[in-house]
Amino acid sequence: QQRMIAERIGIPQLIDMLLLKSEKLQYVGCLAIIALSRSSIEYQNRICRENGIQPLVRLLRSPKTSETVLLTVIKALGTLCIGVAHSSNKVTQGKIAEEQAISTLCKILGSTANEILQVEIVLALACISLNNKDIQEVLKEEETFSPSILLRLFNSSNQDVQLRAGTALSTYVFNNTSNQYKIRQLGGIPLAIFEPFLLSESEAYQAHASFHVVVLARVIVDQDQVMLTARGVTQLVELLQSEDDNTVVLAASLMGSLAHTRAGIPDAMVTCGAVELLTEHLSSHNDQVRFYSAVALGYLTFNRTAARELLVLCRNTPGLYNVLVENMGDDARISAEFTDTFRMAKMVGLPSQSLEINGGPPVQYPGSRGFARPYTAMSLPVSMHGRERQAPRTVSAPAIINHRDRRRREKSAMISVSKSMATLTNKDEEDSGRRPKKQSRASSRIKKAWT
């Protein structure tokens, strides 16, 4: 709804609101820019082309800017630099660095005692420097910024500050082994910081904390990395079954980010049944649920096991592949090998569409009602040893039968992660690329969601 309102207002009008002297209009303008640019590189680039970053930096430097507006400006600068699944936007990152906003943020960081303001500044700097070596070098030259600030904020009495500090640290070390090594040298982080959030009644706290322990598994000193990864992945997959759409959106978006971090994490997701649950959410009425589920599935297609399982579902479920691609958007990624394999299978003839391709009656697509496929020769009763029975229809792959409970899933996830980590320690075994072949499976719940 916020993005819809911001789109109706228009980017030029939002930028004009930032230039006015009214504190309320400045605040609303910053909120609208955050809503527009969140997980959308297209809108981020449009705001940059419309010179929307200069008014934000101007408010950042002005001594007359109130603390409320200043906090929103800092959040807007960080949001402008990060896309879906923790992908960075180097266009906006370069523009913000060109406007000397990094030095301004560091000056405010060194002069304020407000912990909320400090943690938002550190998070914004982490977003501005995400996956950008040039800006990371610029940030190293700033004396007021140090990774020790992040560790100090973990000791805050405010739980929201602790959680935001975890988000800032996760962004700072995301796919960056050198920054992870720096945090490890400073003493690392105890797991006790995240335990209250992992056991919290708030599903949002659980999702964020699960993401943090997976990303920060190498810098948490008092727990095994494999155990931490398995615990975080298992809890995120369980949150996909929540009845709250906001929780599902958050869990799916975080899983999309984790799907392209370390080896072994996508295998753990597949073992816990993430592909089945994400595929079910593609039929949701909430467009955000469909979008983030499609993004997570797109990144999972780069894993062979996940791609094979998703391919079976796409072949057997009419229209599923088209729904996946349509909801993914322009910023997400999907494996070219997966798309090529599906197109080849479609040319040969999908099991779910074989009758239609051969001139028979059309199949029942998702959303249609009162339409049933006619009987085929395989569905007619046959006689065997004097008894009549119904012959089962043939499919391309056996159905998934999921008998795992939570403990068995978590144990299987640990096995998947440990095997992948053991493979990484031996480069020769990694180059050989030998993996045990697993049988693809399909879930009966997928069929219910699409019929």
Side-chain angles (χ1 to χ4, degrees):
Q1 294 178 352
Q2 293 178 354
R3 174 171 289 186
M4 186 184 303
I5 295 173
E7 288 175 348
R8 292 184 178 181
I9 296 175
I11 295 177
Q13 287 75 16
L14 292 177
I15 295 175
D16 292 338
M17 292 170 65
L18 299 177
L19 298 174
L20 299 176
K21 295 182 180 180
S22 172
E23 178 182 344
K24 292 182 179 179
L25 291 178
Q26 292 173 355
Y27 178 73
V28 172
C30 290
L31 289 179
I33 287 180
I34 292 173
L36 270 181
S37 58
R38 183 179 288 115
S39 301
S40 176
I41 294 181
E42 178 185 356
Y43 276 115
Q44 293 171 6
N45 292 336
R46 285 179 58 183
I47 294 172
C48 185
R49 287 195 300 267
E50 295 285 344
N51 296 322
I53 294 179
Q54 294 177 355
L56 291 173
V57 178
R58 181 180 176 182
L59 289 173
L60 190 68
R61 293 174 178 169
S62 175
K64 298 181 180 180
T65 304
S66 65
E67 188 173 288
T68 303
V69 175
L70 181 63
L71 191 64
T72 315
V73 169
I74 294 170
K75 291 181 180 179
L77 289 174
T79 307
L80 283 167
C81 297
I82 189 168
V84 294
H86 278 71
S87 59
S88 58
N89 188 341
K90 294 189 177 181
V91 176
T92 53
Q93 287 176 336
K95 185 64 177 178
I96 291 174
E98 182 182 336
E99 295 292 334
Q100 302 297 322
I102 295 178
S103 59
T104 304
L105 288 170
C106 290
K107 288 179 182 179
I108 299 174
L109 179 63
S111 61
T112 183
N114 189 337
E115 290 183 340
I116 298 177
L117 199 58
Q118 288 178 352
V119 73
E120 292 298 338
I121 291 174
V122 174
L123 178 56
L125 290 172
C127 294
I128 295 171
S129 61
L130 178 66
N131 298 328
N132 194 318
K133 294 183 179 180
D134 296 333
I135 296 181
Q136 289 173 6
E137 293 297 328
V138 174
L139 193 59
K140 288 180 182 179
E141 298 176 358
E142 297 291 340
E143 297 180 355
T144 54
F145 177 80
S146 172
S148 60
I149 299 176
L150 292 166
L151 302 181
R152 177 173 57 82
L153 290 172
F154 276 117
N155 298 323
S156 173
S157 59
N158 190 336
Q159 278 195 337
D160 292 333
V161 172
Q162 291 181 349
L163 192 66
R164 296 294 283 178
T167 304
L169 186 59
S170 299
T171 308
Y172 179 71
V173 304
F174 188 81
N175 284 347
N176 193 321
T177 53
S178 61
N179 287 346
Q180 293 174 9
Y181 182 70
K182 290 179 183 177
I183 301 297
R184 188 76 180 189
Q185 280 186 320
L186 292 173
I189 307 170
L191 180 62
I193 294 176
F194 302 102
E195 283 290 355
F197 301 104
L198 291 170
L199 303 176
S200 173
E201 294 181 358
S202 172
E203 292 181 335
Y205 280 3
Q206 294 178 25
H208 283 294
S210 300
F211 175 76
H212 296 163
V213 297
V214 175
V215 176
L216 301 174
R218 292 176 177 173
V219 300
I220 296 177
V221 294
D222 53 352
Q223 187 73 38
D224 181 66
Q225 179 180 344
V226 176
M227 299 265 307
L228 285 171
T229 304
R231 181 179 180 182
V233 170
T234 303
Q235 194 157 353
L236 275 178
V237 174
E238 289 179 353
L239 289 174
L240 288 176
Q241 305 177 45
S242 172
E243 296 180 358
D244 187 2
D245 284 349
N246 294 325
T247 301
V248 176
V249 168
L250 178 59
S253 64
L254 295 176
M255 290 183 67
S257 301
L258 292 176
H260 62 103
T261 50
R262 299 192 305 273
I265 295 179
D267 292 311
M269 292 180 183
V270 175
T271 304
C272 294
V275 176
E276 310 167 26
L277 296 172
L278 290 170
T279 307
E280 288 179 5
H281 288 310
L282 290 179
S283 59
S284 172
H285 297 290
N286 191 321
D287 58 344
Q288 291 294 305
V289 173
R290 296 196 305 270
F291 170 70
Y292 285 104
S293 298
V295 169
L297 286 171
Y299 279 100
L300 282 174
T301 57
F302 291 91
N303 178 270
R304 290 178 178 269
T305 307
R308 190 163 53 247
E309 186 172 334
L310 182 60
L311 182 63
V312 171
L313 296 175
C314 289
R315 294 179 68 221
N316 291 333
T317 310
L320 177 59
Y321 177 81
N322 294 332
V323 172
L324 172 65
V325 175
E326 290 171 1
N327 286 281
M328 191 173 298
D330 299 329
D331 299 334
R333 296 181 58 195
I334 188 170
S335 171
E337 182 180 355
F338 174 80
T339 56
D340 293 342
T341 304
F342 179 80
R343 289 174 186 151
M344 181 64 66
K346 191 173 182 180
M347 291 175 61
V348 174
L350 299 179
S352 60
Q353 296 175 329
S354 58
L355 293 177
E356 186 176 359
I357 293 176
N358 292 311
V363 296
Q364 181 179 358
Y365 286 90
S368 60
R369 292 294 183 266
F371 190 95
R373 293 185 62 171
Y375 284 106
T376 62
M378 292 299 298
S379 61
L380 295 176
V382 294
S383 177
M384 182 177 293
H385 301 291
R387 295 182 180 180
E388 291 188 354
R389 66 180 184 86
Q390 196 80 3
R393 290 182 54 88
T394 56
V395 294
S396 64
I400 292 180
I401 303 176
N402 191 358
H403 298 294
R404 300 183 180 90
D405 56 4
R406 179 177 179 178
R407 293 182 179 177
R408 188 172 180 181
R409 287 189 178 189
E410 188 169 348
K411 183 178 180 181
S412 301
M414 292 170 55
I415 295 174
S416 300
V417 176
S418 60
K419 285 183 179 179
S420 300
M421 292 179 60
T423 305
L424 287 176
T425 57
N426 191 334
K427 294 183 179 180
D428 295 335
E429 293 182 2
E430 182 182 10
D431 294 336
S432 64
R434 296 179 180 176
R435 296 183 179 179
K437 186 175 181 181
K438 294 184 179 180
Q439 186 178 8
S440 302
R441 304 174 298 176
S443 176
S444 59
R445 292 178 295 176
I446 304 297
K447 297 181 180 179
K448 293 181 180 179
W450 286 96
T451 57

